[in-house]
Amino acid sequence: MDQIVNVNEFQELAKRALPKMYYDFYSGGAEDQHTLKENVEAFRRITFRPRVLVDVSKIDMSTTILGYPISAPIMIAPTANHMLAHPEGETATAKAAAACNTIMIVSYMASCTVEEVASSCNAVRFLQVYVYKRRDVTAQLVKRAEKAGFKAIVLTVDVPKLGRREADIKNKMISPQLRNFEGLFSTEVRPSEGSGVEAFASRALDASLNWKDIEWLRSITKLPILIKGILTREDALKAVEAGVEGIVVSNHGARQLDYSPATITVLEEIVQAVGGRIPVLFDGGVRRGTDVFKALALGARAVLVGRPIVYGLAAKGEDGVKKVIEMLKNEFEITMALSGCPTVDDITRSHVKTENERLQSML
């Protein structure tokens, strides 16, 4: 791994390591993949306003999420089926997260059970959930996670139906049996045509899920609830009204509604709507430490990293995941120093200029 100099290079290693079906599953977006490209490209249109002659001899990247300390504002996003990337699956990812002193959000669609992940290492972790038509299945997994020591529930709200992922349709993507659901129902679909993941999702997901169901989720767990999949001021306000403990600004890694906005372009709107009442986390397109800084400058408490983690896992297992997190932390530390910010609390809105601000200044 010595020759790898940035996180993006892990993608090519993962492409070589994985069967085409699995690489396409991880890397692909919805339909024309416009939003997939924009999630990354939109960061490039934000520039810095660095401060000089600030004492940056000591840089402190640490922060807290729901009161839990982490070494830097970089968390692991929920992504499905880690065993398709590496035999050790989510347990390898969890060990890397623990070694880097950060929080992993374990996917509802994980290959390993919540108990396996919990027993693999001692760390703070959250569970991401979908609500299935069979509410008892969701309730059971939430209760198992709570018993296993998970610290929060992250409810994904942007999947009443699965987005149209054309690579998975072409590849006839297999939906594997997931161990969390063994004895409850089958998740395995081997399609003769189309995507098995889509076939399973249409059978399982509850498209009637609405704001009233936050109360149902609250009734089955004592854990704090965060909502993942918010892209508008209107929904951010509803989330605050619903009494959730946090928001994740996310377009599902551009895998749901194509031509939805790049998440970094709507982050500030949501942060302003929330007004500091609950933490806002950010998900989508983070590939550099500079991206982490930009998201924090626009009001995020921390960022979630998805695909690069999976690419690191596919390429080099647990060590690959650690390397991805360490690279992002190193780049973030340099960005803080060169911007004149000794701590994350020193990162302010005045440290960045967005494309809109540049355009207005030219008028």
Side-chain angles (χ1 to χ4, degrees), residues 22 51 53 56 72 111 145 157 183 195 215 225 236 238 258 268 272 285 288 292 302 307 324 332 353:
Y22 297 162
R51 308 295 193 276
L53 293 176
V56 288
S111 310
V157 293
S195 162
E215 279 309 307
I225 296 166
K238 283 184 177 177
D258 201 16
E268 191 168 24
Q272 287 171 353
R288 286 281 189 180
V292 180
R307 284 184 179 90
V324 165
F332 178 54
K353 183 178 269 193

Side-chain angles (χ1 to χ4, degrees), residues 1 95 121 130 147 154 212 264 272 282 323 350 363:
M1 285 194 282
K95 287 174 187 172
C121 56
Y130 296 109
K147 187 178 177 185
V154 180
K212 294 174 189 165
I264 195 65
Q272 287 171 353
F282 174 85
K323 188 78 169 172
S350 69
L363 294 176

Side-chain angles (χ1 to χ4, degrees), residues 53-340:
L53 293 176
V54 176
D55 180 356
V56 288
S57 56
K58 290 195 179 78
I59 298 289
D60 182 2
M61 296 184 285
S62 65
T63 189
T64 59
I65 303 298
L66 301 184
Y68 297 105
I70 54 176
S71 61
I74 301 165
M75 298 164 58
I76 295 183
T79 47
N81 288 304
H82 284 202
M83 274 187 179
L84 300 184
H86 189 273
E88 292 175 28
E90 286 79 8
T91 59
T93 311
K95 287 174 187 172
C100 295
N101 188 20
T102 192
I103 295 169
M104 175 185 180
I105 305 177
V106 179
S107 170
Y108 193 70
M109 307 300 286
S111 310
C112 301
T113 66
V114 291
E115 292 83 6
E116 286 167 340
V117 175
S119 63
S120 67
C121 56
N122 187 26
V124 174
R125 57 186 67 83
F126 301 166
L127 178 71
Q128 174 265 331
V129 300
Y130 296 109
V131 175
Y132 282 176
K133 290 170 186 170
R134 279 189 57 187
R135 296 284 175 101
D136 62 306
V137 172
T138 300
Q140 193 174 124
L141 197 58
V142 166
K143 285 168 183 168
R144 280 168 56 195
E146 192 166 347
K147 187 178 177 185
F150 283 64
K151 301 301 185 188
I153 300 298
V154 180
L155 175 66
T156 294
V157 293
D158 56 5
V159 193
K161 293 183 182 298
L162 204 70
R164 186 175 169 81
R165 303 167 192 176
E166 293 177 2
D168 292 348
I169 295 168
K170 281 182 180 173
N171 292 333
K172 298 184 174 63
M173 176 65 192
I174 296 163
S175 177
Q177 177 61 33
L178 299 172
R179 298 223 289 272
N180 270 319
F181 304 116
E182 280 177 0
L184 294 170
F185 67 97
S186 172
T187 61
E188 186 169 19
V189 181
R190 291 178 176 271
S192 56
E193 58 182 54
S195 162
V197 176
E198 195 282 326
F200 167 72
S202 64
R203 191 175 75 201
L205 291 169
D206 186 354
S208 74
L209 188 71
N210 60 72
W211 287 103
K212 294 174 189 165
D213 292 312
I214 304 297
E215 279 309 307
W216 169 78
L217 186 58
R218 197 176 297 288
S219 75
I220 63 168
T221 182
K222 296 185 182 72
L223 295 177
I225 296 166
L226 295 85
I227 288 186
K228 178 175 180 284
I230 302 291
L231 289 173
T232 62
R233 173 193 304 275
E234 294 87 340
D235 281 346
L237 290 170
K238 283 184 177 177
V240 172
E241 285 166 20
V244 299
E245 280 78 15
I247 284 173
V248 183
V249 179
S250 174
N251 55 30
H252 211 100
R255 294 161 75 79
Q256 280 300 101
L257 179 64
D258 201 16
Y259 295 91
S260 60
T263 39
I264 195 65
T265 65
V266 296
L267 172 60
E268 191 168 24
E269 170 189 329
I270 290 162
V271 167
Q272 287 171 353
V274 168
R277 286 171 285 185
I278 53 175
V280 176
L281 306 181
F282 174 85
D283 173 61
V286 173
R287 300 293 183 270
R288 286 281 189 180
T290 50
D291 299 337
V292 180
F293 187 100
K294 289 170 185 178
L296 265 66
L298 293 173
R301 181 82 188 176
V303 304
L304 312 186
V305 181
R307 284 184 179 90
I309 296 294
V310 175
Y311 297 149
L313 181 67
K316 302 287 180 180
E318 180 186 336
D319 287 341
V321 177
K322 276 194 276 201
K323 188 78 169 172
V324 165
I325 298 168
E326 284 163 4
M327 280 181 163
L328 289 173
K329 282 171 69 171
N330 289 341
E331 290 176 2
F332 178 54
E333 185 175 23
I334 291 166
T335 307
M336 287 176 66
L338 297 180
S339 298

